[in-house]
Amino acid sequence: MVHDALTFLGLALVTVVLFGVTLLLFRSFAAHRDELARRWAGRGQAALTAGKPGDAIVALRTALSYAPDRREYELLLAQALGDAGHTEESYNYFLGLWETRPGDGFINLRLARLTAAKGDAREAEKFYRASIYGTWEGDATVRRRDVRLELARYLLEQHDHNGARSELMIAGGNNPDDMGLAMTLAGMLQEAGAQTDALTYYRKVLAAEPRNGRALASAGALEFALGDFEEARRLLERAVRVRGTAGVAASAVTGALLAKSERILELMPSRRLPSQVRVARILAARTLAKKRFDACSAEITSMGESSSALQGLSSGWAGKDSGASANALRMNEDVQDATVKLVFDTEVETS
C-alpha cells in the first residue's frame, strides 16, 4: 500500500508539473498571439491613415488570423476594403457587423456611403438617417451634425433640393452659434436654390464677424442676384475694402460684380430720383434695350427661325409709348412706367 501510494503520489506530481508547464506555454503562446495581432492591427491602422488601403487589408487580415472575431479589427478591415474600392465585399462585411449592432452610427454611415456608391439612393438615405439617430462614441452631437451635412450633400447630388434644404435647416437649428457652420450652411443653401435662407445665414455671420471678407463677398453676390443693387454695392465695397486692408486682393468676380452694381445704379430709373434725372435714365435704358431687341431679332431671322417672345415685344416697340419724347415722359408717370416695363421685358427675353 505504501509502495502504491508513493507511485500514485509521484504520478500526481508529474501530472501537476506537466499541467503547469503546459499552462505556462499556452499563456505564453496566447500572449504572443495577442501581441502579434496588436502589432499587425497597428500596421493596418497606420496604412489606413496613410491612405494605403491595400496594405491595410493585408495587415488586418493577418491580425484577424491571430485574433479572430475581434470587432475593432473587423471594422477596420471593412473600412479598408471600402477605401480600396472593394465595394461589394466591404458592404457584405459591414452588413454582417450591422446585424449584431444595427444602431451603431459608424456602421450605418459606412453602409450609407457604400449603398450610395452602388447607386441605391433609397437605401443610402435610410442608412444615413439611421446613422444620424444611431449611437456614437465621443462627441455624438458633432458626429450627427456632420452626418446630416453629408446627407444634405448627397441629396443635392440627387437633385433633391427640398430634402437637402430641410436637413440643412435642422443642422443650423441644432448649432445656432457656430459661425463656421453658418458659412457652410449658407453655401449649401445657395446651391439648393434657397437664396433667401442662404442670405439669412450670411447676415448672421456678418452680425458676429463684420469683417469676414468671404461672407461680405458672398452676401453681396446674393443681393446682386436678388436685385437689391444698392445693398449689393455696399457689401461688395466692404468686401474689397476688408481684403485690401488685410493685404489680400479682392477676387476678379467680386470686383466685376461691384463694377456692375455701380453701373446699374447709375442707369437705374429709381422713383427716388428727381424727375429730370429719372427721365434721362429711362431714355438711355430705352436706347440700349432697343439695340438689344433689333440685334436679337436680326440674328433669329438670319437663322430662319422665329420667337413668340420677340413677336410679343414687337408690338410693344411699335406702340406710341416706345417713342415718347423726354417732355412726354416728364409729364406722364404712367408712360414712364410703361417704358421701364418694356425695357425690362426686352432685357429678360433677349438674354
Side-chain angles (χ1 to χ4, degrees), residues 53-94:
D55 295 343
I57 291 172
V58 175
L60 290 166
R61 287 194 191 280
T62 305
L64 282 168
S65 69
Y66 289 115
D69 302 324
R70 284 286 289 273
R71 185 177 182 80
E72 60 269 33
Y73 299 167
E74 290 179 327
L75 280 171
L76 288 172
L77 177 57
Q79 183 178 346
L81 288 167
D83 292 349
H86 304 303
T87 304
E88 197 64 38
E89 192 175 358
S90 178
Y91 175 80
N92 291 330
Y93 226 114
F94 272 116

Side-chain angles (χ1 to χ4, degrees), residues 299-306:
E299 185 173 350
I300 288 180
T301 302
S302 68
M303 295 168 62
E305 299 180 1
S306 63

Side-chain angles (χ1 to χ4, degrees), residues 5-213:
L6 290 173
T7 302
F8 177 78
L9 181 61
L11 291 173
L13 290 171
V14 170
T15 302
V16 169
V17 170
L18 289 174
F19 176 79
V21 171
T22 303
L23 183 62
L24 181 64
L25 290 173
F26 176 77
R27 287 183 175 177
S28 176
F29 170 74
H32 183 60
R33 186 176 58 183
D34 288 343
E35 174 62 26
L36 288 172
R38 285 193 297 272
R39 188 182 304 169
W40 281 103
R43 292 175 182 173
Q45 177 74 74
L48 204 55
T49 304
K52 300 177 180 178
D55 295 343
I57 291 172
V58 175
L60 290 166
R61 287 194 191 280
T62 305
L64 282 168
S65 69
Y66 289 115
D69 302 324
R70 284 286 289 273
R71 185 177 182 80
E72 60 269 33
Y73 299 167
E74 290 179 327
L75 280 171
L76 288 172
L77 177 57
Q79 183 178 346
L81 288 167
D83 292 349
H86 304 303
T87 304
E88 197 64 38
E89 192 175 358
S90 178
Y91 175 80
N92 291 330
Y93 226 114
F94 272 116
L95 194 61
L97 294 168
W98 177 85
E99 289 174 352
T100 60
R101 293 185 63 181
D104 188 290
F106 175 76
I107 293 175
N108 277 290
L109 176 59
R110 297 298 301 202
L111 284 169
R113 292 171 179 172
L114 290 166
T115 48
K118 291 167 64 176
D120 191 340
R122 177 177 293 184
E123 282 294 295
E125 188 174 344
K126 182 190 79 173
F127 282 122
Y128 270 124
R129 298 195 184 283
S131 178
I132 291 171
Y133 297 108
T135 57
W136 287 91
E137 296 179 3
D139 194 341
T141 301
V142 174
R143 292 179 179 274
R144 291 190 179 103
R145 181 199 69 192
D146 291 343
V147 175
R148 195 179 292 279
L149 290 175
E150 186 173 328
L151 171 59
R153 289 190 187 93
Y154 178 70
L155 292 174
L156 285 175
E157 292 173 2
Q158 300 300 308
H159 306 291
D160 183 359
H161 289 178
N162 289 332
R165 179 180 176 276
S166 298
E167 297 300 331
L168 291 169
M169 297 304 287
I170 293 172
N174 292 338
N175 302 269
D177 300 322
D178 188 333
M179 293 303 105
L181 174 63
M183 283 295 295
T184 300
L185 291 172
M188 294 180 70
L189 283 166
Q190 193 171 349
E191 188 178 347
Q195 312 284 30
T196 304
D197 291 324
L199 189 56
T200 298
Y201 275 100
Y202 283 130
R203 286 173 177 161
K204 182 177 181 179
V205 172
L206 291 173
E209 303 172 4
R211 295 180 60 79
N212 187 317

